[in-house]
Amino acid sequence: MISIVEAMDDPALFGPWFRGPSWSGWRAVAKAAFGLEMGEAELAFFGEVAGGRSPPKSRVKEVWVGAGRRAGKDSIASLVVAYTAALFDGADRLRPGERALCLCLACDTTQAKVVLNLIRAFFSELPMLRLMIQRETQWGFQLTNGVDVFVGVNDFRAVRGRTILCAVLDECAFFRDDSSASPDRELYRAIKPGMVTLPESMLIGISSPYRRAGLLYSKYKALYGIDADDALFIKAPSRTLNPMLSQEMIDRALEEDPAAASSEWLAEFRDDLASFISIEMIESMVDRNVMARPAVPGARYHAFCDAASGTGKDSFALAVAHKDRESIVVDLVHEQRPPFNPQAAITECCSVLRTYGIRTISGDKYAPGFTADAFGRHGVHYRYSEQDKSQLYVEALPALVSGRVRLPDNRRMVTQFANLERRTGPSGRDRVDHARNDNAHDDLSNVVAGVVVAANANWGAGCFVTPLRV
């Protein structure tokens, strides 16, 4: 059987995509991952990017790569998927009706389409691979040798029960999902059982490093520089794996934002990022199976909302809370997910507010004229919070960590809190926000933080009243 490096160099196969010495570093990594013999220069390079460890003695089951941007990660990932899918010769090991799966799961649809286009190019432009396509789908294709190729967005539910030949987790340090606080680990746990029945199966995790948490970082701590024959971790700056990149451009990026550029181009895990609050702490505040609490006679209720247009990705969110003798009790977290009509969303919110006797609500300055007027038509004052959401998170933190807050059982809210990041800026001041990712949201955690601050301060300084329209 032709090796992956021979296929990479063969002009009749993948050679046209990997010409020249700039791919030499990746050839050395591929040889190590597949247990192939390495030359002296390749051994030296491998030691540099693998933390000084010795090459594995045979093909590994897991390869993890923390490399800078534009290092060629997507090109190599698509090569491995195409090579593994095309050379599979184990249909006799599959049950009747069973198909082996080669998949690449990315952090969002944009990234997934990049990898899908690269894989499609191999199978559409190489005659011997083109003949293997049995059926094409929107996100992949079926091959005549019993293999399905699929590229999509990370979702652990989509891979359960499948027989997995090859799995690539693309930019896994940036996986985000409102349904799970640790989607990277959930996906990893779902994939591993599917690889058991195929000895040649391989899992590849590739990403630019990010914060010192999550699956990629845990694999770095466990594998980098460690002589293991079943797993491998590679860590390399962008120019180490792609010397064609401009050093001047990277130097400029380092001057503008040293922390971000060190992560993106030098493959360093960031020291300026940390979780805002642990999922264990948030879970400890949740009253199980309590989705909402009815109004209590005599209680003074507070409300906070995060308005949205209904046409983007943000939800229209509302939280209601009151103080009892010991705690700040969040009674309700209400969400309207897009698409929706913003006027109808405000009407629904006002209906909720009436059940708690609330005639004043606070929120951000989103579409200030429209939002205040729309609430005013329902007899509700709308107050603009002078604190932005980062300040609200910081101000809510003491109440949260002291255990004085009781939360309803809302999974998306819990996940959003767990995925918040605390960033230390150049001035030393902390900022709290969701991850910079299309799948990351904080609408629910934002309104909970806002209503906790409001209930704690009884709508003290920091807000002003918008006159009610009559």
Side-chain angles (χ1 to χ4, degrees):
M1 183 181 293
I2 186 172
S3 74
I4 187 168
V5 175
E6 289 171 332
M8 191 176 177
D9 292 338
D10 191 330
L13 289 172
F14 304 110
W17 286 272
F18 299 98
R19 290 194 191 99
S22 66
W23 292 100
S24 297
W26 280 113
R27 287 186 179 87
V29 172
K31 285 185 176 182
F34 283 81
L36 304 176
E37 186 176 348
M38 303 172 71
E40 187 175 338
E42 291 170 330
L43 287 169
F45 179 86
F46 174 77
E48 177 186 344
V49 298
R53 63 157 290 174
S54 302
K57 295 183 176 63
S58 59
R59 174 180 171 140
V60 299
K61 296 290 289 184
E62 295 184 17
V63 181
W64 297 90
V65 179
R69 296 181 64 181
R70 311 304 298 172
K73 300 188 294 295
D74 289 338
S75 296
I76 293 299
S78 60
L79 166 68
V80 173
V81 170
Y83 169 82
T84 306
L87 270 68
F88 178 68
D89 187 22
D92 57 327
R93 288 178 280 141
L94 301 175
R95 294 168 295 177
E98 182 182 19
R99 298 180 65 86
L101 179 64
C102 284
L103 77 159
C104 181
L105 299 179
C107 57
D108 54 45
T109 55
T110 301
Q111 186 68 25
K113 287 177 181 177
V114 170
V115 179
L116 178 62
N117 289 338
L118 291 172
I119 298 173
R120 279 197 194 278
F122 293 143
F123 279 89
S124 62
E125 296 185 29
L126 296 176
M128 65 180 70
L129 297 189
R130 186 166 59 244
L131 292 173
M132 296 183 67
I133 298 179
Q134 188 175 48
R135 176 174 172 267
E136 290 201 56
T137 64
Q138 180 182 1
W139 290 101
F141 35 85
Q142 295 179 340
L143 303 180
T144 55
N145 62 345
V147 175
D148 292 341
V149 177
F150 173 78
V151 179
V153 177
N154 74 91
D155 185 351
F156 68 91
R157 292 168 290 262
V159 302
R160 298 185 71 87
R162 295 300 304 267
T163 299
I164 297 173
L165 175 62
C166 177
V168 176
L169 311 186
D170 191 13
E171 294 295 354
C172 56
F174 300 91
F175 282 4
R176 297 291 183 272
D177 186 346
D178 275 355
S179 66
S180 172
S182 55
D184 50 356
R185 296 181 188 276
E186 293 276 9
L187 182 59
Y188 177 75
R189 285 194 288 264
I191 286 173
K192 289 295 288 182
M195 299 172 60
V196 170
T197 57
L198 296 178
E200 67 269 48
S201 61
M202 180 180 285
L203 185 149
I204 303 170
I206 59 173
S207 184
S208 301
Y210 194 50
R211 66 179 181 179
R212 296 176 179 269
L215 180 61
L216 185 73
Y217 184 66
S218 69
K219 291 295 182 180
Y220 165 71
K221 296 290 286 184
L223 297 172
Y224 186 63
I226 304 298
D227 286 343
D229 287 331
D230 62 343
L232 170 66
F233 196 104
I234 299 297
K235 180 174 175 290
S238 300
R239 273 179 53 82
T240 299
L241 290 170
N242 183 5
M244 304 296 288
L245 290 173
S246 164
Q247 182 63 52
E248 181 182 358
M249 177 269 296
I250 295 174
D251 290 341
R252 254 193 331 267
L254 286 166
E255 288 178 7
E256 293 170 1
D257 190 339
S262 293
S263 170
E264 293 184 342
W265 301 107
L266 304 185
E268 297 294 340
F269 288 94
R270 294 183 66 156
D271 290 318
D272 64 327
L273 289 178
S275 296
F276 172 65
I277 192 168
S278 71
I279 188 170
E280 292 80 12
M281 184 168 290
I282 289 294
E283 292 278 13
S284 70
M285 306 176 210
V286 173
D287 292 334
R288 296 295 172 205
N289 300 317
V290 176
M291 307 305 172
R293 309 176 212 271
V296 177
R300 181 182 180 189
Y301 286 94
H302 309 274
F304 194 95
C305 83
D306 183 2
S309 67
T311 59
K313 296 183 178 181
D314 293 334
S315 297
F316 198 114
L318 166 73
V320 174
H322 74 280
K323 290 180 72 173
D324 62 17
R325 292 182 179 180
E326 299 178 352
S327 307
I328 298 171
V329 181
V330 179
D331 300 273
L332 173 81
V333 178
H334 179 74
E335 178 184 22
Q336 296 178 72
R337 300 171 70 175
F340 57 81
N341 180 295
Q343 181 66 63
I346 291 173
T347 299
E348 186 173 336
C349 283
C350 290
S351 177
V352 172
L353 296 177
R354 279 194 293 273
T355 65
Y356 292 93
I358 298 173
R359 294 181 57 83
T360 300
I361 189 171
S362 185
D364 62 15
K365 297 179 181 178
Y366 175 83
F370 168 80
T371 304
D373 286 352
F375 273 102
R377 293 189 193 101
H378 294 277
V380 177
H381 290 286
Y382 187 87
R383 294 175 169 179
Y384 299 133
S385 172
E386 289 189 355
Q387 302 104 316
D388 62 22
K389 65 179 178 180
S390 176
Q391 293 169 317
L392 290 173
Y393 285 131
V394 173
E395 290 189 29
L397 187 59
L400 294 171
V401 299
S402 67
R404 295 189 296 110
V405 177
R406 291 167 52 199
L407 299 172
D409 196 350
N410 184 301
R411 293 294 90 195
R412 282 169 57 83
M413 173 202 66
V414 169
T415 298
Q416 289 180 14
F417 264 116
N419 284 333
L420 290 173
E421 296 176 347
R422 183 193 290 264
R423 300 184 180 94
T424 303
S427 65
R429 187 175 182 180
D430 284 354
R431 294 283 303 172
V432 180
D433 201 351
H434 62 69
R436 293 165 183 170
N437 181 287
D438 286 345
N439 294 332
H441 301 278
D442 68 344
D443 313 292
L444 300 182
S445 57
N446 181 19
V447 294
V448 170
V451 82
V452 165
V453 171
N456 209 28
N458 288 322
W459 302 113
C463 299
F464 62 90
V465 176
T466 298
L468 185 66
R469 268 181 51 147
V470 294

